Every structure is written in C-alpha cells, then in structure tokens.
Amino acid sequence: MKKYSIAIVGGASSYTPGIVRSIMNAYDKMPIKEIILQDIDEEKLDIMGEYLEILFRDENFPADVKWTTSRKKAFKGVDFIFTQIRTGGLEMREQDEKVSINCGLIGQETCGPGGFAFAMRSIKPIIEITKDAVEYAKDAWIINYSNPLPILAEAVRREVPESKSLFICDMPIVQQMTMAATLGYKEDDLVFEYFGLNHFGWFTSIKNKEGEELLPKLRDLLLSGYKLKLVDFGHLDKSWIETFENIAKGVKMFPEYIPLTYLQYYYFPDSIAEKEKEHINYTRANEVMDGRRKKVFEECYKVIEAGTIKGFDHKLDAHGDFIVDQAVAIATDTPKRFMVNVVNNKAFTNMDEDIVIETFGTIDAKGACVNTYRKIPSFYRALMINQNTYEKLTVEAALEGSYDKALKALSLNKTIPSVSKAKEVLDALIVANKEYFPELK
Ligand code: G6P
Ligand code: MN
C-alpha cells in the first residue's frame, strides 16, 4: 500500500495537534510516511515539531515528523499540502476586531471589515504558497483550511488556476451535527441540502433515510423557542453559543430556510455591533489567545519538558477529521459527498459561472465536483451577488493595490451601513495593518 507524505503550512498553529491526531487515526485508510510542518514562526515550529516527535515515538507511530521554514524543502515530493495560515497571527485578528468595533461596526474574523483586513493580509501569501506547491509538488493536492475562505479561493482561482486546490470549512458540518442532534438524529443519518457562498449560505432541506423532510419540524422547534442542542466543536465559548442561538432569530425573519450561523452578521449587524462594543477590551481573539492557543502550547511545553506524552490527555475536537476525510477520499479514490467550495460553472443556473460557490458535491481522486443544478430564488441570489462582488473587489484591491476597489468592496459589505463608514474603517485598518497590507493607491 502506498504511503503518503503530508506538508502542513501554518504547521505551528494550535490546530496542528488535532489535525495530526486525525491523520494518525486514519492510518488504516491512508498510511503516511511523514508529516512536514512548515511555518514562518521558527520558535513555535520547533515546539510543535518536538512535541509531535515525542508523540509519534511514544505511540509507536511509524512515520517521521520534520519541520522547516522553507516551503521548497517542505513541499518536495509530498502528496498533500494542508494550509492553515493566519498572516499576522491572532494579534492582528485582535486588531481587526477592535478597530472595527471602535468604528461602531461588527468585529469579526471572517465577516465584515475584520474579514476584509484578514483577506488583505492573506491574498498574496496564499497565491505564493499555491505557486510554490505547483512548482515543487505538481501532483500534490492542496487542501486549504485558511480564511477568509471564499476570498482566498477566488484569489487562487484567478492567479493559479492550474493548481489542485480544495477549500474546506468546518462550520456547515458543525451546524449539521447541531441540527441533527436537535432533531434526535446522528448527522450521518440525515441528508442535507444547502446553497450559498462560504460563511454565507442556507440549508434548504433536511431529510432522513426514509426521505421524510424534517426542515419544517426544525423550523417549528426554533420558532417555538426550543434551543438547538449544541455540539462541542472545540470552541464553544460564550460568543459561539450566542451565535448558534441567533440561528432562530434568522429563521423568524425568513422561515423558508435555515441560515448558516455566520448570516447573523449580515442580518443583524447593528445589534451585534452594539453588543460587541460592551466587550471591546476582550474580543473573540482574546478568548482564543487565552483559551485554545494557551492550552495547546502549555501542553506542548509540558510534554517536551517531561520528555514523554504519557500522562497527557489532550482533548481534541473533530476539526482535523474533516480535512483528513477529504484527503482520504482523494487518496483512496472513494467518491464521497461533502460540502465543497468550487467554481460555479452551471451549478447555480442563474448566477455567473466564474464565482466560487459553496454547496454539496463529490470528492474523489479527481477532486471536487458538483453535479446538481439549481435556480437560486431572487432574494438570496441578490444577497449572494452583493457578497460575491465584495469578495471579488477585495481580491482586485489587494492584487492591484487599489484604494478605490477596497473602498467599493467595503461599501458593498452588508455589515457596513454607509460609504462614509466604509471609508472610516478602511482608513483605520490601513493604519493598523501598515506592515501587512499591500500599498493601496
Ligand atoms: C469556524 C469556522 C472557521 C473559523 C472558526 C473560528 O470553525 O468555520 O472558518 O476560523 O470558526 O473559530 P474561533 O474559535 O477561532 O473563533
Ligand atoms: Mn469556516
């Protein structure tokens, strides 16, 4: 049986131990010979590398772990490249959130002005990474867990169309698990339908194995005030609990579909911004820095100090399984249904062919493919065109260094109420990001 090599870009991320655990658990289906971590943060990379070396040794896991800051070295001969980059780190996420909230807007990682700033920092790096992947590992599949997904996918679609790139998000899967638990099912026992863009979509159908449509039941539960049964996906802090609770608020407005969690920012930006103002000194970035990041690195330090993994039991979320499931479908050429982010072509029949959409498709050795066709109802189509135009203009702003396009992008974003607010937050983000943004003229 072939043994695979996997490179992880952003290998020093606190998500790495979870992803590596998932790779280890999938060994029977996809045996691996090495994992190569690549990152620009040498110090954290050393810690993660040493930690994994001890893990592999103590669990007799028959693969090597290597680490390097060089993409060329990391990519040579690998079968898969997973990316999970965060240009500027959580420290810049904190800036994005706080600068936005300070302007009276929502402060969020991937939506609104925060998502725009995250994108402006990441567009050029993701293009460079993808170009290197094509150069040094031309047969490798690149599976991106990097955000903001739809904007990076658009950048890669334009600039490196020859790359074998997939883009994955765990949010729809987590929401499916949540909805299934609420209905008294396991996620696997239900078939969901969904259309939209990443972090911007709607579930349109939920059927059980008998073909019974359960969406009306879920809708009635939510409308009657019944709380969703939340599943622990490793970041169920207070802000995320509120986010899931707001699904019901969205259903009350437009009951035909179940909105993805992230739509709260586009439906209710004013009330969310108002609430976020109350904790401008402690945003989600602070929660993550004091929570996930601290916890993971503390464990790494302790294991390295003890020289053994024995006695440590790091509880991991399912995040890693989702990316590994896709790699397994490719490696074993076993077609499987996944939520995918792909170029529309003709799947959404009344929308442009060259936009990146999110919907269900199939993944196998040839990559992701959508073989269904649907006409998007006019209200949702208009929302998606607006959002997608914002995404495309953001890519153009970064690649062309265009202030005009950056301003137009933010002016379209539904979380920002006016062109003057768009300008105010753009100028503030440029100042906060002077080391990271492309120069905007
Ligand atoms: C979900 C989304 C990811 C996002 C993450 C943020 O999993 O799908 O795209 O990065 O939430 O979670 P955090 O715990 O960092 O706020
Ligand atoms: Mn996501």
Coordinates of all heavy atoms in Angstrom, one line a residue, residues 52-118:
L52 N 5.4 16.7 18.5 CA 4.9 15.6 17.6 C 6.0 14.5 17.5 O 5.6 13.3 17.4 CB 4.6 16.2 16.2 CG 3.4 17.1 16.1 CD1 3.2 17.5 14.7 CD2 2.1 16.5 16.7
E53 N 7.2 14.8 17.6 CA 8.2 13.8 17.5 C 8.1 12.8 18.8 O 8.1 11.6 18.6 CB 9.6 14.4 17.6 CG 10.7 13.7 16.9 CD 12.0 14.5 16.7 OE1 12.4 15.2 17.7 OE2 12.5 14.6 15.6
I54 N 7.8 13.4 19.9 CA 7.6 12.7 21.1 C 6.3 11.8 21.0 O 6.3 10.6 21.3 CB 7.6 13.6 22.4 CG1 8.9 14.3 22.6 CG2 7.2 12.8 23.6 CD1 9.0 15.4 23.6
L55 N 5.3 12.5 20.5 CA 4.0 11.8 20.3 C 4.2 10.5 19.4 O 3.7 9.4 19.7 CB 3.0 12.7 19.7 CG 1.6 12.2 19.2 CD1 0.8 11.8 20.5 CD2 0.9 13.2 18.4
F56 N 4.8 10.7 18.3 CA 5.0 9.6 17.3 C 5.8 8.5 18.0 O 5.5 7.3 17.9 CB 5.7 10.1 16.0 CG 4.8 10.8 15.1 CD1 3.6 11.2 15.4 CD2 5.2 11.0 13.7 CE1 2.7 11.9 14.5 CE2 4.4 11.6 12.8 CZ 3.1 12.1 13.2
R57 N 6.9 8.9 18.7 CA 7.8 7.9 19.3 C 7.0 7.1 20.4 O 7.0 5.9 20.4 CB 9.0 8.6 19.9 CG 10.1 7.6 20.4 CD 11.0 8.3 21.4 NE 10.2 8.7 22.6 CZ 10.5 9.8 23.4 NH1 11.6 10.5 23.1 NH2 9.8 10.1 24.4
D58 N 6.3 7.8 21.3 CA 5.7 7.2 22.4 C 4.5 6.3 22.0 O 4.1 5.4 22.7 CB 5.2 8.2 23.4 CG 6.4 8.6 24.3 OD1 7.5 8.2 24.0 OD2 6.1 9.4 25.3
E59 N 3.9 6.7 20.9 CA 2.7 5.9 20.4 C 3.1 4.9 19.3 O 2.3 4.3 18.6 CB 1.6 6.8 19.9 CG 1.2 7.8 20.9 CD -0.3 8.0 21.1 OE1 -1.0 7.8 20.1 OE2 -0.7 8.5 22.1
N60 N 4.4 4.7 19.1 CA 5.0 3.8 18.1 C 4.3 4.1 16.8 O 4.0 3.1 16.0 CB 4.7 2.3 18.5 CG 5.5 2.0 19.8 OD1 6.7 2.4 19.9 ND2 4.9 1.3 20.7
F61 N 4.1 5.3 16.4 CA 3.5 5.6 15.2 C 4.6 5.6 14.1 O 5.6 6.4 14.2 CB 2.8 7.0 15.2 CG 2.0 7.3 14.0 CD1 0.9 6.6 13.7 CD2 2.4 8.3 13.1 CE1 0.1 6.9 12.6 CE2 1.7 8.6 12.0 CZ 0.6 7.9 11.7
P62 N 4.4 4.8 13.1 CA 5.5 4.5 12.1 C 5.7 5.6 11.0 O 5.6 5.3 9.8 CB 5.1 3.2 11.5 CG 3.6 3.2 11.5 CD 3.2 4.0 12.7
A63 N 5.9 6.8 11.4 CA 6.1 7.9 10.5 C 7.0 8.9 11.1 O 7.2 9.0 12.3 CB 4.8 8.6 10.1
D64 N 7.7 9.7 10.2 CA 8.6 10.7 10.6 C 7.9 12.1 10.7 O 6.9 12.3 9.9 CB 9.7 10.9 9.6 CG 10.6 9.7 9.6 OD1 10.7 9.0 10.7 OD2 11.1 9.4 8.5
V65 N 8.3 12.9 11.6 CA 7.9 14.3 11.6 C 9.1 15.2 11.3 O 10.2 15.0 11.9 CB 7.1 14.7 12.9 CG1 7.9 14.4 14.1 CG2 6.7 16.2 12.8
K66 N 9.0 16.1 10.4 CA 10.1 17.0 10.1 C 9.5 18.4 10.2 O 8.3 18.6 10.0 CB 10.6 16.8 8.7 CG 11.2 15.4 8.5 CD 11.6 15.2 7.0 CE 12.2 13.8 6.8 NZ 12.0 13.4 5.4
W67 N 10.3 19.4 10.3 CA 9.8 20.8 10.3 C 10.9 21.7 9.7 O 12.1 21.5 9.9 CB 9.3 21.2 11.7 CG 10.3 21.2 12.8 CD1 11.0 22.2 13.3 CD2 10.6 20.1 13.7 NE1 11.8 21.8 14.4 CE2 11.5 20.5 14.6 CE3 10.2 18.7 13.7 CZ2 12.0 19.7 15.6 CZ3 10.7 17.9 14.6 CH2 11.6 18.3 15.6
T68 N 10.4 22.7 9.0 CA 11.2 23.6 8.3 C 10.5 24.9 8.0 O 9.3 25.0 7.9 CB 11.7 23.0 6.9 OG1 12.4 24.0 6.2 CG2 10.5 22.5 6.1
T69 N 11.3 26.0 7.9 CA 10.7 27.3 7.5 C 10.6 27.4 5.9 O 10.0 28.3 5.4 CB 11.4 28.5 8.0 OG1 12.8 28.3 7.7 CG2 11.3 28.6 9.5
S70 N 11.3 26.5 5.3 CA 11.4 26.6 3.8 C 10.2 25.8 3.1 O 10.1 24.6 3.3 CB 12.7 26.0 3.3 OG 12.6 25.5 2.0
R71 N 9.5 26.5 2.3 CA 8.4 25.8 1.6 C 9.0 24.8 0.5 O 8.4 23.8 0.3 CB 7.5 26.8 0.9 CG 6.6 27.6 1.9 CD 5.4 28.1 1.2 NE 5.6 29.1 0.2 CZ 5.5 30.4 0.5 NH1 5.2 30.9 1.7 NH2 5.8 31.4 -0.4
K72 N 10.1 25.2 -0.1 CA 10.7 24.4 -1.1 C 11.0 23.0 -0.5 O 10.6 22.0 -1.0 CB 11.9 25.0 -1.6 CG 12.6 24.3 -2.8 CD 13.7 25.1 -3.3 CE 14.5 24.3 -4.4 NZ 15.6 25.0 -5.0
K73 N 11.7 23.0 0.7 CA 12.0 21.8 1.4 C 10.8 21.0 1.8 O 10.7 19.8 1.7 CB 12.9 22.1 2.6 CG 14.3 22.3 2.3 CD 15.1 22.3 3.6 CE 16.5 23.0 3.4 NZ 17.0 23.6 4.6
A74 N 9.8 21.8 2.3 CA 8.6 21.1 2.8 C 7.8 20.4 1.7 O 7.2 19.4 1.9 CB 7.7 22.1 3.6
F75 N 7.8 21.0 0.5 CA 6.8 20.6 -0.5 C 7.4 19.5 -1.4 O 6.6 18.7 -2.0 CB 6.4 21.7 -1.4 CG 5.5 22.8 -0.8 CD1 5.2 23.9 -1.4 CD2 5.0 22.6 0.5 CE1 4.4 24.9 -0.8 CE2 4.2 23.5 1.1 CZ 3.9 24.7 0.5
K76 N 8.7 19.4 -1.4 CA 9.3 18.4 -2.4 C 8.8 17.0 -2.2 O 8.9 16.4 -1.1 CB 10.9 18.4 -2.1 CG 11.6 19.4 -3.0 CD 12.3 18.7 -4.2 CE 12.3 19.4 -5.5 NZ 13.0 20.6 -5.7
G77 N 8.1 16.5 -3.2 CA 7.6 15.1 -3.2 C 6.4 14.8 -2.4 O 6.1 13.6 -2.3
V78 N 5.8 15.8 -1.8 CA 4.6 15.4 -0.9 C 3.4 15.1 -1.8 O 3.3 15.5 -2.9 CB 4.3 16.5 0.1 CG1 5.4 16.7 1.0 CG2 3.8 17.8 -0.5
D79 N 2.4 14.4 -1.2 CA 1.2 14.1 -1.8 C 0.1 15.1 -1.5 O -0.8 15.3 -2.3 CB 0.7 12.7 -1.4 CG 1.7 11.6 -1.7 OD1 1.9 11.3 -2.9 OD2 2.4 11.2 -0.7
F80 N 0.1 15.6 -0.3 CA -0.9 16.6 0.2 C -0.2 17.8 0.8 O 0.8 17.6 1.5 CB -1.8 16.0 1.2 CG -2.8 14.9 0.6 CD1 -2.5 13.6 0.7 CD2 -3.9 15.3 -0.1 CE1 -3.4 12.6 0.2 CE2 -4.8 14.4 -0.7 CZ -4.5 13.1 -0.5
I81 N -0.8 18.9 0.6 CA -0.4 20.1 1.3 C -1.6 20.7 2.0 O -2.6 21.0 1.3 CB 0.3 21.2 0.4 CG1 1.5 20.6 -0.3 CG2 0.5 22.5 1.1 CD1 2.1 21.4 -1.4
F82 N -1.6 20.7 3.3 CA -2.7 21.3 4.0 C -2.3 22.8 4.4 O -1.2 22.9 4.9 CB -3.0 20.6 5.4 CG -3.5 19.2 5.2 CD1 -3.7 18.4 6.4 CD2 -3.9 18.6 4.0 CE1 -4.2 17.1 6.2 CE2 -4.4 17.3 3.9 CZ -4.5 16.5 5.0
T83 N -3.1 23.7 4.2 CA -2.8 25.1 4.6 C -3.7 25.6 5.7 O -4.9 25.3 5.6 CB -2.8 26.1 3.5 OG1 -4.1 26.6 3.3 CG2 -2.2 25.6 2.2
Q84 N -3.2 26.2 6.7 CA -4.0 26.9 7.7 C -3.2 28.1 8.2 O -2.7 28.2 9.3 CB -4.2 25.9 8.9 CG -3.0 25.1 9.3 CD -3.2 24.4 10.6 OE1 -4.2 24.4 11.2 NE2 -2.1 23.7 11.0
I85 N -3.1 29.1 7.2 CA -2.3 30.3 7.5 C -3.1 31.4 8.2 O -4.3 31.4 8.0 CB -1.6 30.8 6.2 CG1 -2.7 31.3 5.2 CG2 -0.7 29.8 5.6 CD1 -2.1 32.2 4.1
R86 N -2.5 32.1 9.0 CA -3.1 33.3 9.6 C -2.1 34.4 9.6 O -1.3 34.6 10.6 CB -3.6 33.0 11.0 CG -4.3 34.1 11.7 CD -4.7 33.7 13.1 NE -5.8 32.8 13.2 CZ -7.1 33.1 13.0 NH1 -7.4 34.3 12.6 NH2 -8.0 32.2 13.1
T87 N -2.0 35.2 8.5 CA -1.0 36.2 8.4 C -1.2 37.3 9.5 O -2.3 37.8 9.6 CB -1.0 36.8 7.0 OG1 -1.1 35.8 6.0 CG2 0.1 37.8 6.8
G88 N -0.2 37.5 10.3 CA -0.3 38.5 11.4 C -0.7 37.9 12.7 O -0.8 38.5 13.7
G89 N -1.1 36.6 12.6 CA -1.4 35.9 13.9 C -2.7 36.4 14.5 O -3.4 37.2 14.0
L90 N -2.9 35.8 15.7 CA -4.1 36.2 16.4 C -4.0 37.7 16.9 O -5.0 38.3 17.2 CB -4.3 35.3 17.7 CG -4.8 33.9 17.3 CD1 -4.7 33.0 18.5 CD2 -6.3 33.9 16.9
E91 N -2.8 38.2 17.0 CA -2.6 39.5 17.4 C -3.2 40.5 16.4 O -3.8 41.5 16.7 CB -1.1 39.9 17.5 CG -0.4 39.3 18.8 CD -0.4 37.8 18.9 OE1 -0.4 37.1 17.8 OE2 -0.3 37.2 20.0
M92 N -3.1 40.2 15.1 CA -3.7 41.0 14.1 C -5.2 40.7 14.0 O -6.0 41.6 13.7 CB -3.1 40.8 12.7 CG -1.7 41.5 12.6 SD -1.7 43.3 13.2 CE -2.8 44.1 12.1
R93 N -5.7 39.5 14.4 CA -7.1 39.3 14.4 C -7.7 40.2 15.5 O -8.8 40.8 15.3 CB -7.4 37.8 14.8 CG -8.8 37.5 15.1 CD -9.1 36.0 15.4 NE -10.5 35.7 15.6 CZ -11.0 34.5 15.8 NH1 -10.2 33.5 15.9 NH2 -12.3 34.4 16.0
E94 N -7.0 40.3 16.6 CA -7.4 41.2 17.7 C -7.6 42.7 17.2 O -8.6 43.3 17.5 CB -6.4 41.1 18.9 CG -6.8 42.0 20.0 CD -5.8 42.0 21.1 OE1 -4.6 41.5 20.9 OE2 -6.1 42.5 22.2
Q95 N -6.6 43.1 16.4 CA -6.6 44.5 15.9 C -7.9 44.6 14.9 O -8.6 45.6 15.0 CB -5.4 44.7 15.0 CG -4.1 45.0 15.9 CD -4.4 46.2 16.8 OE1 -4.8 47.2 16.4 NE2 -4.1 45.9 18.1
D96 N -8.1 43.6 14.1 CA -9.2 43.7 13.1 C -10.5 43.9 13.9 O -11.4 44.7 13.5 CB -9.3 42.3 12.4 CG -8.2 42.1 11.4 OD1 -7.4 43.0 11.1 OD2 -8.1 41.0 10.9
E97 N -10.7 43.0 14.9 CA -11.9 43.1 15.7 C -12.1 44.4 16.4 O -13.1 45.1 16.4 CB -11.9 41.9 16.7 CG -12.0 40.6 16.1 CD -11.8 39.4 17.0 OE1 -11.3 39.6 18.1 OE2 -12.0 38.2 16.5
K98 N -11.0 44.9 17.0 CA -11.1 46.1 17.9 C -11.2 47.4 17.0 O -12.0 48.3 17.4 CB -9.9 46.2 18.8 CG -10.0 45.0 19.9 CD -9.1 45.0 21.0 CE -9.4 43.9 21.9 NZ -8.5 43.6 23.0
V99 N -10.5 47.4 15.9 CA -10.6 48.6 15.0 C -12.0 48.7 14.5 O -12.6 49.8 14.4 CB -9.5 48.5 13.9 CG1 -9.8 49.5 12.8 CG2 -8.1 48.6 14.4
S100 N -12.6 47.5 14.1 CA -13.9 47.5 13.6 C -15.0 48.0 14.6 O -15.8 48.8 14.4 CB -14.3 46.1 13.0 OG -13.3 45.7 12.1
I101 N -14.9 47.4 15.8 CA -15.8 47.7 16.9 C -15.7 49.2 17.2 O -16.7 49.9 17.4 CB -15.6 46.8 18.1 CG1 -15.9 45.3 17.8 CG2 -16.5 47.2 19.3 CD1 -15.5 44.3 18.9
N102 N -14.5 49.7 17.2 CA -14.3 51.1 17.5 C -14.9 52.0 16.5 O -15.3 53.1 16.9 CB -12.7 51.3 17.5 CG -12.4 52.5 18.4 OD1 -13.1 52.8 19.3 ND2 -11.2 53.1 18.1
C103 N -15.1 51.5 15.3 CA -15.9 52.3 14.3 C -17.4 52.1 14.4 O -18.1 52.5 13.5 CB -15.4 51.9 12.9 SG -13.7 52.4 12.5
G104 N -17.8 51.3 15.4 CA -19.2 51.1 15.6 C -19.7 49.9 14.7 O -20.9 49.8 14.5
L105 N -18.8 49.1 14.2 CA -19.2 48.0 13.3 C -18.9 46.7 14.0 O -18.3 46.6 15.1 CB -18.3 48.1 12.0 CG -18.5 49.4 11.2 CD1 -17.5 49.6 10.2 CD2 -19.9 49.5 10.6
I106 N -19.3 45.6 13.3 CA -19.1 44.3 13.9 C -17.5 44.0 13.9 O -16.9 44.4 12.9 CB -19.8 43.1 13.2 CG1 -19.3 43.0 11.7 CG2 -21.3 43.3 13.2 CD1 -19.5 41.6 11.1
G107 N -17.0 43.3 14.9 CA -15.6 43.0 14.9 C -15.5 41.5 14.8 O -15.7 40.7 15.8
Q108 N -15.2 41.0 13.6 CA -15.3 39.5 13.4 C -14.1 39.1 12.5 O -13.7 39.8 11.6 CB -16.7 39.2 12.7 CG -17.3 37.9 13.2 CD -16.7 36.7 12.5 OE1 -16.3 36.7 11.3 NE2 -16.5 35.6 13.2
E109 N -13.8 37.8 12.7 CA -12.6 37.3 12.0 C -12.7 37.2 10.5 O -11.8 37.6 9.7 CB -12.4 35.9 12.5 CG -11.2 35.1 11.9 CD -11.4 33.6 12.1 OE1 -12.5 33.1 12.4 OE2 -10.4 32.9 12.0
T110 N -13.9 36.7 10.0 CA -14.0 36.5 8.5 C -15.1 37.3 7.9 O -15.2 37.3 6.7 CB -14.3 35.0 8.2 OG1 -15.6 34.6 8.8 CG2 -13.2 34.1 8.7
C111 N -16.0 37.9 8.7 CA -17.1 38.7 8.1 C -16.8 40.2 8.3 O -16.1 40.6 9.3 CB -18.4 38.3 8.8 SG -18.8 36.6 8.6
G112 N -17.4 41.0 7.5 CA -17.3 42.5 7.7 C -15.9 43.0 7.5 O -15.0 42.3 6.9
P113 N -15.6 44.2 8.1 CA -14.3 44.8 7.9 C -13.1 43.9 8.4 O -12.0 43.9 7.9 CB -14.4 46.1 8.7 CG -15.6 46.1 9.5 CD -16.5 45.0 8.9
G114 N -13.3 43.2 9.5 CA -12.3 42.3 10.0 C -11.9 41.2 9.0 O -10.7 40.9 8.8
G115 N -12.9 40.6 8.4 CA -12.7 39.6 7.3 C -11.9 40.2 6.1 O -11.1 39.6 5.5
F116 N -12.3 41.5 5.8 CA -11.7 42.2 4.7 C -10.2 42.4 5.0 O -9.3 42.1 4.2 CB -12.3 43.6 4.5 CG -11.5 44.5 3.7 CD1 -11.7 44.5 2.3 CD2 -10.7 45.4 4.2 CE1 -10.9 45.3 1.5 CE2 -10.0 46.3 3.5 CZ -10.1 46.3 2.1
A117 N -9.9 42.8 6.3 CA -8.4 43.0 6.6 C -7.7 41.7 6.6 O -6.5 41.6 6.1 CB -8.4 43.7 8.0
F118 N -8.3 40.7 7.2 CA -7.7 39.3 7.2 C -7.3 38.9 5.7 O -6.2 38.4 5.4 CB -8.7 38.4 7.8 CG -8.1 37.0 8.2 CD1 -6.8 36.7 8.2 CD2 -9.0 36.0 8.7 CE1 -6.3 35.4 8.5 CE2 -8.5 34.8 9.1 CZ -7.2 34.5 9.0

